[in-house]
Amino acid sequence: MSVAASTFEKTPGWLDWFAGPSTPVFQLPPGAVDAHCHVFGPGAAFPFAPERKYTPCDAGKAQLFALRDHLGFSRNVIVQATCHGADNSAMIDACRSSGGKARGVATVRRSVTDAQLQVLHEAGVRGVRFNFVKRLVDFTPKDELMEIAARIDTLGWHVVIYFEAQDLPELWDFFTALPTTVVVDHMGRPDVTRPVDGPEFELFLRFMREHPNVWSKVSCPERLSVSGPKALGGEQAAYRDVVPFARKVVETFPDRVLWGTDWPHPNLKDHMPDDGLLVDFIPHIAPTSELQRKLLVDNPKRLYWPEET
Ligand code: 0GY
């Protein structure tokens, strides 16, 4: 695999995805879904949005599908990346070219028509993403988001939310009023230097415990970790400081967790992860084959390919 040259000027310091991922030691179960990944452009075919907060390298569908096959996944859930704003064309094109092996999560504005939502549905979209991470998006009023949530609820879609742990208290009332299934990206981005049984993470666990419609992606150890990718040998995992957090969520809510690579890993500053190593992280957070099957096969199928369940 190679990183293509973009027609856009990349954000200074941008790290391109790792072009030679290792073959994971952990063998994914048949039917495993990479339930959080993106496509970027390519910019020449699918220009990045004028309102974007970063300009990435190109990372298109062919490279994503090659990674899927290399790692041993059967399918992808492609999440609209903020660099494409509410123009879902690149994600939709990838879903349509996947031969049924990809479904999508879109970004839409209040102005989206029912006919446009129908086109997205037919292309494979099953959710919308609401992003509250201030470095990634401009503010959208909550009444606009609630209106979108009510409309997509009638299509049987869900809402994916991305926020940082310190913002959960302020967003709690909005999140708990959402009518759909709600999927949290990356466990609500906990500060993993804090105790796993401390008040910050307990609030997130309470969010899931008290609201059975809330699911979590136990993804992005590379984003959350302070200890980093270096394994210490033996049973020690890379990104080991994230293990207690992700494992707690998987073991407490085994039927409401998803996992994804987050390829091509936007906005990482320190290192670009080896996606093979990320797959090898999975058995540390889902230690039994039953938990692995739920996390990687059964749960994503229920949400994205419900017609098969
Ligand atoms: C992620 C995380 C990030 C970016 C985006 O859509 C995006 O731009 O999701 C981030 O910068 O933390 O899930 O890919």
Side-chain angles (χ1 to χ4, degrees):
M1 292 190 280
S2 66
V3 181
S6 180
T7 48
F8 288 78
E9 196 71 27
K10 285 183 280 189
T11 296
W14 184 265
L15 293 185
D16 294 351
W17 43 275
F18 184 66
S22 58
T23 300
V25 177
F26 173 60
Q27 230 189 328
L28 290 162
V33 180
D34 176 353
H36 186 93
C37 50
H38 311 283
V39 285
F40 298 153
F46 302 103
F48 300 116
E51 74 272 23
R52 69 190 179 281
K53 306 291 182 203
Y54 61 85
T55 305
C57 61
D58 283 338
K61 61 186 177 184
Q63 291 134 350
L64 176 64
F65 299 157
L67 181 75
R68 174 198 68 202
D69 295 345
H70 172 79
L71 296 175
F73 285 102
S74 299
R75 306 199 263 209
N76 295 109
V77 177
I78 308 175
V79 178
Q80 173 75 353
T82 58
C83 56
H84 280 296
D87 176 354
N88 295 286
S89 313
M91 181 270 290
I92 287 304
D93 175 67
C95 288
R96 284 192 178 130
S97 333
S98 71
K101 290 183 178 177
R103 292 246 148 119
V105 174
T107 296
V108 298
R109 309 275 184 239
R110 173 182 256 157
S111 54
V112 70
T113 64
D114 288 342
Q116 287 167 333
L117 287 176
Q118 200 50 46
V119 168
L120 291 173
H121 189 86
E122 277 157 23
V125 170
R126 295 294 179 268
V128 290
R129 192 184 198 202
F130 295 166
N131 201 320
F132 300 89
V133 178
K134 296 176 187 78
R135 69 183 159 78
L136 291 172
V137 285
D138 295 325
F139 175 77
T140 306
K142 296 203 181 71
D143 65 329
E144 173 168 350
L145 297 176
M146 200 51 90
E147 189 181 304
I148 292 167
R151 288 179 64 199
I152 61 97
D153 188 27
T154 63
L155 293 165
W157 295 8
H158 60 274
V159 173
V160 173
I161 52 177
Y162 191 25
F163 62 93
E164 294 182 320
Q166 73 269 14
D167 296 326
L168 180 55
E170 190 247 310
L171 292 164
W172 182 277
D173 290 346
F174 174 72
F175 290 163
T176 56
L178 287 167
T180 62
T181 293
V182 174
V183 181
V184 179
D185 278 342
H186 322 327
M187 301 182 285
R189 292 197 61 122
D191 176 348
V192 300
T193 65
R194 297 189 179 176
V196 67
D197 53 2
E200 186 187 86
F201 202 56
E202 170 49 29
L203 186 70
F204 178 70
L205 296 173
R206 199 183 120 208
F207 181 40
M208 291 196 73
R209 203 167 45 237
E210 292 181 359
H211 301 93
N213 63 323
V214 177
W215 295 40
S216 178
K217 291 180 199 163
V218 287
S219 42
C220 277
E222 73 287 1
R223 228 173 250 296
L224 304 175
S225 180
V226 177
S227 63
K230 223 168 146 39
L232 292 185
E235 288 302 298
Q236 291 273 23
Y239 312 114
R240 63 191 178 282
D241 50 352
V242 183
V243 170
F245 292 81
R247 186 162 168 166
K248 177 87 183 172
V249 177
V250 170
E251 292 184 334
T252 313
F253 309 104
D255 297 311
R256 291 189 269 145
V257 283
L258 301 171
W259 192 89
T261 55
D262 194 33
W263 187 90
H265 310 289
N267 295 310
L268 288 187
K269 301 278 185 280
D270 303 328
H271 77 288
M272 187 44 62
D274 170 350
D275 295 280
L277 256 190
L278 287 179
V279 170
D280 283 334
F281 183 75
I282 295 172
H284 293 275
I285 63 168
T288 69
S289 56
E290 190 190 352
L291 288 172
Q292 291 159 10
R293 198 195 64 244
K294 286 176 181 236
L295 174 67
L296 297 161
V297 184
D298 298 350
N299 298 344
K301 197 194 276 191
R302 258 178 28 247
L303 212 51
Y304 292 98
W305 286 270
E307 66 278 12
E308 293 180 12
T309 57

